[in-house]
Amino acid sequence: NAGVTQTPKFQVLKTGQSMTLQCAQDMNHEYMSWYRQDPGMGLRLIHYSVGAGITDQGEVPNGYNVSRSTTEDFPLRLLSAAPSQTSVYFCASSYSGPLQGPYNSPLHFGNGTRLTVT
Amino acid sequence: GQSLEQPSEVTAVEGAIVQINCTYQTSGFYGLSWYQQHDGGAPTFLSYNALDGLEETGRFSSFLSRSDSYGYLLLQELQMKDSASYFCAVSPRTGGFKTIFGAGTRLFVKA
């Protein structure tokens, strides 16, 4: 199992450009999510999905779009990049996420995409 | 809303015991999780407390007290490789299916 695979590892964009960060998992996990990590601010949830065809907003969704056409893939789209979106982006998946309630379903993280917007 | 508070940095000596605290303000959640992240790496799951009390996994233990809105991660027999950032996280019962993280505690282990 490769686990959670993110591409690219690094990306530099100019303000206003668009791009898609790719995320794929081979663990048949229903729950997938995107986080951004900035110094001193921990991990902040951008969007999440509880299954194919179902997505919802997290804490910081503005400027980002997602879709979930298959169980395996959960791409994150930046529509018009801004310097404030310079960050490290992590994709994470779990068997069921918080759907399990009190039963633990830990998040498995990809290795991240380091994005710089100039 | 919900927020989790952690100390920003903790320093300890190799072989010692260190406790990383997490206090939270949330209306209700399923459980408290802990994740470890080394510099340049991805967060990895360490421990989960669904109920009050202590959970032990090798050198790591985690504790939750819902009545005190408080939890902690205890690391024993510290090793240099334990130098990393540690995050507590909760999944609130309302507002969707989210896992919310604290800002993280940077642990420095000295020889």
Side-chain angles (χ1 to χ4, degrees):
Chain A
N1 282 357
V4 179
T5 302
Q6 289 185 238
T7 55
K9 287 184 170 49
F10 301 94
Q11 183 71 50
V12 178
L13 290 178
K14 293 188 188 305
T15 297
Q17 287 184 317
S18 63
M19 78 159 296
T20 300
L21 280 62
Q22 301 291 346
C23 175
Q25 53 90 9
D26 62 358
M27 298 174 283
N28 203 31
H29 283 172
E30 288 295 325
Y31 186 87
M32 296 186 74
S33 54
W34 277 101
Y35 288 87
R36 61 177 288 173
Q37 185 172 35
D38 303 293
M41 300 189 73
L43 294 146
R44 291 185 291 167
L45 182 64
I46 305 171
H47 286 286
Y48 67 93
S49 169
V50 299
I54 307 169
T55 64
D56 206 347
Q57 295 181 350
E59 303 169 275
V60 288
N62 292 341
Y64 308 94
N65 274 3
V66 292
S67 60
R68 184 96 179 270
S69 56
T70 67
T71 299
E72 295 78 18
D73 300 298
F74 190 44
L76 178 73
R77 280 183 290 278
L78 281 71
L79 306 175
S80 178
S84 60
Q85 294 179 303
T86 293
S87 188
V88 180
Y89 291 84
F90 287 100
C91 178
S93 72
S94 69
Y95 179 70
S96 63
L99 294 167
Q100 287 264 77
Y103 302 101
N104 186 31
S105 181
L107 290 169
H108 299 257
F109 285 83
N111 287 328
T113 294
R114 282 148 182 80
L115 175 68
T116 302
V117 183
T118 61
Chain B
Q2 41 271 331
S3 66
L4 300 122
E5 299 291 329
Q6 304 179 236
S8 58
E9 288 185 6
V10 172
T11 300
V13 178
E14 197 174 15
I17 299 172
V18 72
Q19 178 174 312
I20 298 174
N21 297 325
C22 175
T23 57
Y24 56 85
Q25 294 179 0
T26 181
S27 54
F29 60 94
Y30 292 117
L32 183 70
S33 299
W34 288 92
Y35 288 78
Q36 178 192 59
Q37 184 181 31
H38 287 99
D39 283 349
T44 56
F45 171 76
L46 283 179
S47 185
Y48 178 72
N49 291 73
L51 304 174
D52 283 9
L54 193 67
E55 292 285 340
E56 297 181 78
T57 310
R59 294 189 296 115
F60 294 177
S61 303
S62 57
F63 174 82
L64 175 63
S65 170
R66 289 178 187 267
S67 59
D68 295 323
S69 298
Y70 166 71
Y72 66 71
L73 179 69
L74 193 72
L75 295 82
Q76 302 182 68
E77 301 172 17
L78 277 175
Q79 302 175 10
M80 298 299 288
K81 67 179 182 179
D82 297 328
S83 293
S85 293
Y86 294 84
F87 297 89
C88 59
V90 296
S91 295
R93 292 179 186 272
T94 59
F97 303 105
K98 304 171 183 174
T99 298
I100 307 300
F101 285 78
T105 299
R106 184 71 183 264
L107 172 64
F108 297 94
V109 180
K110 301 188 303 184

